[in-house]
Amino acid sequence: MSLAVMALALAAASNAPAPAPASPVDGIWHNPKNSVAVKTGACGDKLCGWVVRADDEAQADARDGGTPRLIGTALLREYRPSGRRKWSGQIFVPDMGRTFGSTLTLVDANTIDVKGCLIGGFLCKTQTWHRG
C-alpha cells in the first residue's frame, strides 16, 4: 500500500507547476570600486537591491549624506522590466541622500550597467557592476 501512495505522490508532484524563474539579474553585484556589494532579488512583484557589504569609506560617505546605516539599505528600488534585458526603477544614492530615476541593463551574465538620471533622462551617470 505505501508503494501505491508514493507513486501517487510522485505523479502529483510531477504535475505541479514549475516555480517562476528567477530574474537574470538576481544575485550579488559589486560596484566599479568594489567598495559596495548589493544583493538583488524580488521585492513583491518588483526587483530591488540591498547593500550587503560596504567598505569603511562608503559607510562614512553614507553617514555624511544622512544614511546612518548603509548595510541593509535598499539602493535599487521598485524595478520593473522595461525592455529586453532592461529594468526601470529608482536608485537611492546614500552619500547624497536622494533617489533618482534609474535603469539596469544586463550586458552579459556577469555584468550590468546601472544608470541614474536627475530629471527626465537628463544629466545621467552610468556605472558598470560585476557579479560577485
Side-chain angles (χ1 to χ4, degrees):
M1 219 24 146
S2 65
L3 210 48
V5 171
M6 268 180 52
L8 284 173
L10 286 173
S14 66
N15 291 331
S23 167
V25 292
D26 282 3
I28 296 179
W29 300 90
H30 302 273
N31 70 342
K33 293 182 185 178
N34 198 28
S35 59
V36 173
V38 174
K39 180 177 174 40
T40 56
C43 53
D45 63 344
K46 298 174 186 81
L47 176 76
C48 295
W50 303 267
V51 177
V52 293
R53 181 191 55 76
D55 68 15
D56 292 340
E57 184 178 347
Q59 292 184 57
D61 289 346
R63 278 192 300 275
D64 290 346
T67 303
R69 185 165 181 252
L70 183 56
I71 309 269
T73 297
L75 295 188
L76 306 177
R77 299 175 178 180
E78 299 186 353
Y79 285 78
R80 294 179 183 265
S82 61
R84 188 170 182 265
R85 302 167 69 100
K86 191 172 187 176
W87 293 259
S88 295
Q90 296 181 334
I91 187 163
F92 175 68
V93 181
D95 55 340
M96 296 176 74
R98 294 190 56 198
T99 303
F100 301 97
S102 174
T103 59
L104 302 179
T105 303
L106 184 65
V107 176
D108 61 39
N110 295 309
T111 310
I112 56 173
D113 282 341
V114 181
K115 180 178 179 181
C117 299
L118 288 178
I119 300 170
F122 295 102
L123 298 172
C124 299
K125 180 178 180 182
T126 301
Q127 286 187 345
T128 300
W129 293 8
H130 297 280
R131 194 180 292 275

